[in-house]
Coordinates of all heavy atoms in Angstrom, one line a residue:
R769 N 31.8 -31.7 53.3 CA 31.6 -32.2 52.0 C 32.9 -32.4 51.4 O 33.9 -31.7 51.5 CB 30.7 -31.3 51.1 CG 30.5 -31.8 49.8 CD 29.8 -30.8 49.0 NE 29.8 -31.0 47.5 CZ 28.9 -30.5 46.7 NH1 28.2 -29.6 47.0 NH2 29.1 -30.8 45.3
G770 N 33.0 -33.6 50.6 CA 34.3 -33.8 49.9 C 34.0 -34.5 48.7 O 32.9 -35.1 48.5
S771 N 34.8 -34.1 47.6 CA 34.5 -34.7 46.2 C 35.8 -35.4 45.7 O 37.0 -35.0 46.1 CB 34.2 -33.5 45.2 OG 32.9 -33.1 45.7
A772 N 35.8 -36.3 44.8 CA 36.9 -37.1 44.3 C 36.6 -37.4 42.8 O 35.4 -37.7 42.5 CB 37.2 -38.4 45.1
F773 N 37.7 -37.3 42.0 CA 37.5 -37.6 40.5 C 38.7 -38.5 40.2 O 39.8 -38.3 40.7 CB 37.6 -36.4 39.6 CG 37.7 -36.6 38.3 CD1 36.5 -36.9 37.6 CD2 38.8 -36.7 37.6 CE1 36.5 -37.1 36.1 CE2 38.9 -36.9 36.3 CZ 37.8 -37.1 35.6
Y774 N 38.4 -39.6 39.5 CA 39.4 -40.5 38.9 C 39.2 -40.9 37.4 O 38.0 -41.2 37.2 CB 39.5 -41.7 39.9 CG 40.6 -42.6 39.5 CD1 41.8 -42.2 39.8 CD2 40.3 -43.7 38.7 CE1 42.9 -43.1 39.5 CE2 41.4 -44.6 38.4 CZ 42.7 -44.2 38.7 OH 43.8 -45.1 38.4
A775 N 40.1 -40.8 36.7 CA 40.0 -41.1 35.2 C 40.7 -42.5 35.1 O 41.9 -42.7 35.3 CB 40.5 -40.0 34.3
F776 N 39.9 -43.6 34.7 CA 40.7 -44.8 34.4 C 41.3 -44.8 33.1 O 42.3 -45.3 32.8 CB 39.4 -45.8 34.4 CG 38.8 -46.1 35.7 CD1 37.4 -45.5 35.9 CD2 39.3 -46.7 36.8 CE1 36.8 -45.6 37.1 CE2 38.7 -46.8 37.9 CZ 37.3 -46.4 38.0
S777 N 40.8 -44.0 32.2 CA 41.3 -43.8 30.8 C 40.9 -42.6 30.3 O 40.1 -41.8 30.9 CB 41.0 -45.1 29.9 OG 39.6 -45.0 29.6
D778 N 41.1 -42.2 28.9 CA 40.6 -41.1 28.3 C 39.1 -41.1 28.2 O 38.5 -39.9 28.1 CB 41.2 -40.9 27.0 CG 42.8 -40.5 27.1 OD1 43.3 -40.0 28.1 OD2 43.5 -40.6 26.1
K779 N 38.5 -42.1 28.1 CA 37.1 -42.3 27.9 C 36.2 -42.7 29.2 O 35.1 -42.4 29.2 CB 37.0 -43.5 26.9 CG 37.5 -43.1 25.5 CD 36.6 -43.6 24.4 CE 37.2 -43.0 23.2 NZ 36.5 -42.1 22.5
L780 N 36.8 -43.3 30.1 CA 36.0 -43.8 31.3 C 36.7 -43.1 32.6 O 37.8 -43.2 32.9 CB 36.3 -45.3 31.5 CG 35.5 -46.0 32.5 CD1 34.0 -45.8 32.3 CD2 35.9 -47.5 32.6
S781 N 35.7 -42.5 33.3 CA 36.0 -41.9 34.5 C 34.8 -41.9 35.6 O 33.8 -42.4 35.2 CB 36.2 -40.4 34.3 OG 35.1 -39.7 33.8
T782 N 35.2 -41.7 36.9 CA 34.3 -41.6 37.9 C 34.4 -40.4 38.7 O 35.4 -39.8 38.8 CB 34.4 -43.0 38.8 OG1 33.2 -43.0 39.7 CG2 35.7 -43.0 39.5
F783 N 33.2 -40.0 39.4 CA 33.2 -38.8 40.3 C 32.3 -39.1 41.5 O 31.2 -39.9 41.2 CB 32.7 -37.7 39.5 CG 32.5 -36.4 40.3 CD1 33.6 -35.6 40.5 CD2 31.3 -36.1 40.8 CE1 33.6 -34.4 41.3 CE2 31.1 -34.9 41.7 CZ 32.3 -34.1 41.8
A784 N 32.7 -38.8 42.7 CA 31.9 -39.1 43.8 C 31.9 -37.8 44.7 O 32.9 -37.2 44.8 CB 32.5 -40.2 44.5
T785 N 30.7 -37.6 45.4 CA 30.6 -36.5 46.4 C 30.1 -37.2 47.7 O 29.0 -37.9 47.6 CB 29.9 -35.4 46.0 OG1 30.4 -34.7 44.8 CG2 29.7 -34.3 47.0
L786 N 30.8 -37.0 48.8 CA 30.1 -37.4 50.1 C 30.1 -36.2 51.1 O 30.9 -35.4 51.1 CB 31.1 -38.5 50.6 CG 30.9 -39.0 52.1 CD1 29.7 -39.9 52.1 CD2 32.1 -39.9 52.6
G787 N 28.8 -36.2 51.7 CA 28.6 -35.1 52.5 C 27.8 -35.4 53.8 O 27.3 -36.5 53.8
W788 N 27.8 -34.4 54.8 CA 27.2 -34.7 56.0 C 26.8 -33.3 56.5 O 27.5 -32.3 56.4 CB 28.0 -35.3 57.0 CG 27.5 -35.4 58.4 CD1 26.8 -36.3 58.9 CD2 27.9 -34.4 59.5 NE1 26.4 -35.9 60.3 CE2 27.1 -34.8 60.6 CE3 28.6 -33.4 59.5 CZ2 27.2 -34.1 61.8 CZ3 28.7 -32.6 60.8 CH2 28.1 -33.0 61.9
M789 N 25.5 -33.2 57.1 CA 25.0 -32.0 57.8 C 24.2 -32.4 59.0 O 23.7 -33.4 58.9 CB 24.3 -31.1 56.9 CG 23.1 -31.4 56.3 SD 22.3 -30.2 55.3 CE 23.4 -30.0 54.0
S790 N 24.1 -31.6 60.0 CA 23.3 -31.9 61.3 C 22.8 -30.6 61.7 O 23.3 -29.6 61.7 CB 24.4 -32.5 62.2 OG 23.8 -32.7 63.5
A791 N 21.7 -30.9 62.7 CA 21.0 -29.8 63.3 C 20.4 -30.3 64.6 O 19.9 -31.5 64.8 CB 19.9 -29.2 62.4
N792 N 20.6 -29.6 65.7 CA 20.0 -29.8 67.0 C 19.3 -28.7 67.5 O 20.0 -27.6 67.6 CB 21.1 -30.1 68.0 CG 21.8 -31.5 67.6 OD1 21.2 -32.5 67.3 ND2 23.2 -31.4 67.7
V793 N 18.0 -28.7 67.6 CA 17.2 -27.6 68.1 C 16.3 -28.0 69.3 O 15.4 -28.9 69.1 CB 16.3 -27.0 66.9 CG1 15.5 -25.9 67.5 CG2 17.1 -26.6 65.8
G794 N 16.7 -27.6 70.4 CA 16.0 -28.0 71.7 C 16.1 -29.5 71.9 O 17.1 -30.2 71.8
E795 N 14.9 -30.1 71.9 CA 14.7 -31.7 72.0 C 14.7 -32.4 70.6 O 14.8 -33.7 70.5 CB 13.5 -32.1 72.7 CG 12.3 -31.7 72.0 CD 11.1 -32.0 72.7 OE1 10.8 -31.3 73.8 OE2 10.3 -32.9 72.4
W796 N 14.8 -31.6 69.6 CA 14.8 -32.2 68.1 C 16.2 -32.2 67.6 O 17.1 -31.2 67.8 CB 14.0 -31.3 67.2 CG 12.6 -31.2 67.7 CD1 12.0 -30.1 68.4 CD2 11.5 -32.0 67.5 NE1 10.8 -30.4 68.7 CE2 10.4 -31.5 68.1 CE3 11.5 -33.3 66.8 CZ2 9.2 -32.3 68.1 CZ3 10.3 -34.0 66.8 CH2 9.1 -33.4 67.4

Side-chain angles (χ1 to χ4, degrees):
R769 179 180 168 168
S771 297
F773 173 82
Y774 184 76
F776 298 103
S777 68
D778 289 343
K779 298 215 175 255
L780 185 63
S781 62
T782 187
F783 179 81
T785 300
L786 177 65
W788 169 85
M789 65 177 68
S790 174
N792 296 314
V793 179
E795 65 184 69
W796 302 96

